[in-house]
Amino acid sequence: MDVRILDTADQIAVAAGELFVRQIKTNPQTILGLATGASPVKMYQYLISQYRNGYLDFSKVKTYNLDEYCDLPRDDKNSYYTFMHENLFNHINIKEENVHLPNGNAPDMAAECASYDKMIADIGGVDIQLLGIGTNGHIGFNEPADTFTEGTYKVKLTDSTIKSNSIYFDEGAMPRFAVTMGVGTIMTAKKIVLIATGESKQNAVYAMVRGEVTPHCPASILQQHPDAVIFADRAAAAKLL
Ligand code: GLP
């Protein structure tokens, strides 16, 4: 695990963004694994600025997002589909057919999950996977549990995640279920980049980096990944310092 502690979220956006820039420059057909939440937003803005400067071309890039809510229309203002278009896809030259998110409204969820994993496996896996981290140590929507999850699956969200994410929803509208890449799917990525900022992530970051590898802190599995880079600002890294 390569832990890089920087002063500000803006510095992280550039440093993490540069890893993505380099990857796309090296291989224009890169397969990106993407994440939602507040953590990646500034990095997406950095990628957009590089595109606008004429430095980056997304025309051959393919993306696979980590997760999506269940029982929420795809075009809902809070869907991850909408989030990704508003924060990245609408501002770069990626082709819509190259953009993938799991379908949280699929009639046959088991088939949807299996086909999502198969799609990723068939293209040779994700080259570089972006992650945030939940205050409870979750990655994607892999909540603390007794065992590590494997492939993509439908998950019941924990109370702590519902509490953290319900700030975005009208009262009572926060979905209770989501579909997410499993920890096993995430770990197949060739490179993983995790961004953690702010004091609320202190305990999760400490457990991920210094704690034992346990499904009670799903992010701790990244200790076993051969190429995981963790970017934390001083607030999120406070317990490591
Ligand atoms: C959500 C997402 C995760 C994200 C996490 C942290 O629940 N499913 O992928 O990493 O929350 O979000 P934020 O970056 O807003 O703190």
Side-chain angles (χ1 to χ4, degrees), residues 35-40 66-67 80 132-134 138 140-141 161 165 168 201:
T36 52
S39 307
L66 281 171
D67 47 14
Y80 286 167
I133 183 169
H138 77 216
F141 270 129
T161 297
N165 292 12
Y168 300 109
K201 304 292 171 69

Side-chain angles (χ1 to χ4, degrees), residues 167-190:
I167 53 167
Y168 300 109
F169 289 86
D170 295 335
E171 208 182 324
M174 164 87 200
R176 273 15 190 188
F177 290 88
V179 55
T180 181
M181 283 186 196
V183 169
T185 318
I186 292 169
M187 287 293 278
T188 63
K190 296 176 188 92

Side-chain angles (χ1 to χ4, degrees), residues 33-225:
L34 297 180
T36 52
S39 307
V41 169
K42 282 173 185 281
M43 195 200 91
Y44 290 153
Q45 287 166 359
Y46 180 74
L47 295 181
I48 292 166
S49 72
Q50 293 300 90
Y51 165 69
R52 286 192 178 141
N53 290 341
Y55 191 65
L56 264 190
D57 174 17
F58 288 88
S59 62
K60 295 192 182 107
V61 169
K62 291 196 168 94
T63 66
Y64 290 81
N65 260 79
L66 281 171
D67 47 14
E68 178 59 284
Y69 288 115
C70 290
D71 311 314
L72 194 65
R74 190 178 81 160
D75 295 325
D76 188 276
K77 69 178 168 57
N78 282 311
S79 74
Y80 286 167
Y81 177 89
T82 299
F83 177 99
M84 287 308 304
H85 283 77
E86 286 180 350
N87 286 285
L88 182 65
F89 300 148
N90 288 350
H91 311 287
I92 57 175
N93 67 332
I94 195 155
K95 297 196 174 99
E96 181 64 24
E97 68 262 30
N98 287 341
V99 158
H100 306 86
L101 288 95
N103 176 5
N105 296 304
D108 181 345
M109 199 50 84
E112 168 66 18
C113 293
S115 99
Y116 201 65
D117 283 334
K118 185 170 183 310
M119 247 191 314
I120 293 171
D122 286 351
I123 47 153
V126 164
D127 293 308
I128 181 165
Q129 173 71 55
L130 181 61
L131 296 176
I133 183 169
T135 52
N136 62 3
H138 77 216
I139 46 175
F141 270 129
N142 293 282
E143 302 281 24
D146 289 338
T147 51
F148 283 113
T149 56
E150 305 269 330
T152 299
Y153 67 107
K154 180 175 177 176
V155 61
K156 186 174 189 329
L157 301 175
T158 60
D159 290 344
S160 111
T161 297
I162 290 169
K163 193 169 160 229
S164 302
N165 292 12
S166 56
I167 53 167
Y168 300 109
F169 289 86
D170 295 335
E171 208 182 324
M174 164 87 200
R176 273 15 190 188
F177 290 88
V179 55
T180 181
M181 283 186 196
V183 169
T185 318
I186 292 169
M187 287 293 278
T188 63
K190 296 176 188 92
K191 185 179 189 76
I192 294 181
V193 175
L194 184 144
I195 295 177
T197 57
E199 203 184 326
S200 67
K201 304 292 171 69
Q202 271 179 18
N203 291 334
V205 167
Y206 184 82
M208 164 176 67
V209 175
R210 295 268 171 81
E212 59 170 323
V213 175
T214 165
H216 294 287
C217 174
S220 64
I221 192 88
L222 300 179
Q223 292 178 29
Q224 295 179 351
H225 193 279

